């Protein structure tokens, strides 16, 4: 995993840094990438404390220790927990973000947008829950728009290099297929949270 701190001084430097970060986000070849070990979806589920289908509510940045690591904390409303756990809200602590006049850049960082629907495999980290395999274990839930009840999962793989992957990655699963796989791996049925739906 690649990460580093940037500390701009003055408004002009901050504007230049902002433009640089924006440019890095649209480069076709990642300036810095994170490397992860390939895992099947079943392995990701088995490694997870929770697998949640959720909607992104809000984000904040935290720096628990002065001069230490910066985290982006994303609050998710858990629409359903595919590992059969109770709880309709979770905070996900991912490395990186902007705090005060500093930016901690992490290549391949997991990104969330407020309002989007996601599915993410979570493990216990130092500060709280985090993605098991960065963007490889975080999916956008894309509704088909064809009047079907199911949705397609799209893996978040920007700036990510995968080691040990087969020559042809398996096709992405639908939400229903991932739910069924989670039930087979964990031996528990998913729990829906009506309060989170509201």
């Amino acid at each position: 995993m690649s990460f580093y701190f940037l500390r701009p001084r003055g408004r002009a430097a901050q504007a230049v840094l902002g433009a640089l970060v924006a440019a890095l986000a649209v480069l076709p070849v990642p300036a810095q990438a994170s490397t992860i070990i390939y895992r099947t979806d079943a392995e990701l589920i088995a490694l997870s404390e929770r697998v949640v289908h959720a909607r992104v509510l809000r984000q904040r940045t935290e720096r628990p220790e002065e001069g230490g690591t910066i985290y982006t904390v994303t609050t998710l409303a858990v629409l359903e927990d595919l590992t059969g756990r109770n709880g309709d809200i979770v905070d996900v602590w991912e490395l990186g973000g902007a705090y005060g006049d500093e930016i901690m850049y992490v290549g391949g960082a997991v990104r969330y947008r407020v309002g989007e629907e996601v599915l993410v495999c979570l493990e216990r980290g130092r500060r709280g829950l985090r993605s098991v395999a960065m963007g490889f274990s975080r999916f956008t839930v894309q509704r088909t728009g064809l009047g079907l009840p199911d949705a397609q999962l799209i893996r978040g793989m920007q700036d990510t290099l995968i080691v040990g992957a087969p020559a042809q990655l398996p096709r992405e699963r639908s939400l229903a297929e991932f739910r069924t796989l989670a039930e087979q791996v964990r031996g528990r049925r998913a729990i829906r949270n009506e309060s989170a739906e509201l």
Side-chain angles (χ1 to χ4, degrees):
M1 178 181 339
S2 302
F3 66 89
Y4 49 86
F5 288 97
L6 302 171
R7 186 174 295 161
R9 298 288 182 206
R11 289 192 184 273
Q14 289 175 354
V16 169
L17 179 62
L20 175 62
V21 170
L24 288 173
V26 297
L27 284 174
V29 177
Q32 295 287 333
S34 287
T35 303
I36 60 165
I37 297 171
Y38 174 76
R39 307 255 191 232
T40 65
D41 289 342
E43 289 172 324
L44 291 173
I45 292 166
L47 290 168
S48 299
E49 182 172 317
R50 296 184 75 174
V51 178
V52 298
H53 166 211
R55 184 165 313 281
V56 179
L57 291 181
R58 58 189 168 268
Q59 283 188 315
R60 68 184 191 276
T61 54
E62 295 278 348
R63 177 177 250 167
E65 299 166 8
E66 188 173 337
T69 305
I70 298 172
Y71 296 89
T72 297
V73 184
T74 304
T75 302
L76 304 177
V78 180
L79 305 174
E80 61 179 326
D81 189 308
L82 278 58
T83 42
R85 302 274 303 269
N86 289 314
D88 56 2
I89 299 284
V90 294
D91 280 343
V92 179
W93 290 67
E94 300 288 0
L95 285 174
Y99 188 85
D101 66 347
E102 285 190 71
I103 296 172
M104 181 180 164
Y105 173 80
V106 177
V110 182
R111 293 179 177 87
Y112 297 94
R113 286 189 336 268
V114 172
E116 78 178 328
E117 194 176 344
V118 298
L119 183 136
V120 61
C121 299
L122 300 168
E123 67 180 356
R124 182 67 51 186
R126 184 170 175 222
R127 294 289 169 188
L129 293 173
R130 66 179 182 199
S131 58
V132 170
M134 301 191 73
F136 193 69
S137 57
R138 179 255 190 245
F139 304 82
T140 299
V141 178
Q142 186 175 58
R143 298 292 170 181
T144 61
L146 302 174
L148 301 172
D150 201 12
Q152 185 63 41
L153 299 179
I154 300 171
R155 206 177 298 263
M157 299 268 297
Q158 60 273 19
D159 298 345
T160 304
L161 302 174
I162 304 167
V163 175
Q168 178 75 34
L169 285 175
R171 71 168 181 80
E172 297 291 10
R173 297 175 193 274
S174 70
L175 178 57
E177 289 169 335
F178 207 96
R179 184 184 300 117
T180 299
L181 179 63
E183 289 177 2
Q184 292 168 351
V185 171
R186 302 301 288 258
R188 301 183 73 178
R189 294 184 63 83
I191 294 178
R192 292 192 67 83
N193 292 305
E194 291 183 16
S195 59
E197 296 269 12
L198 298 175

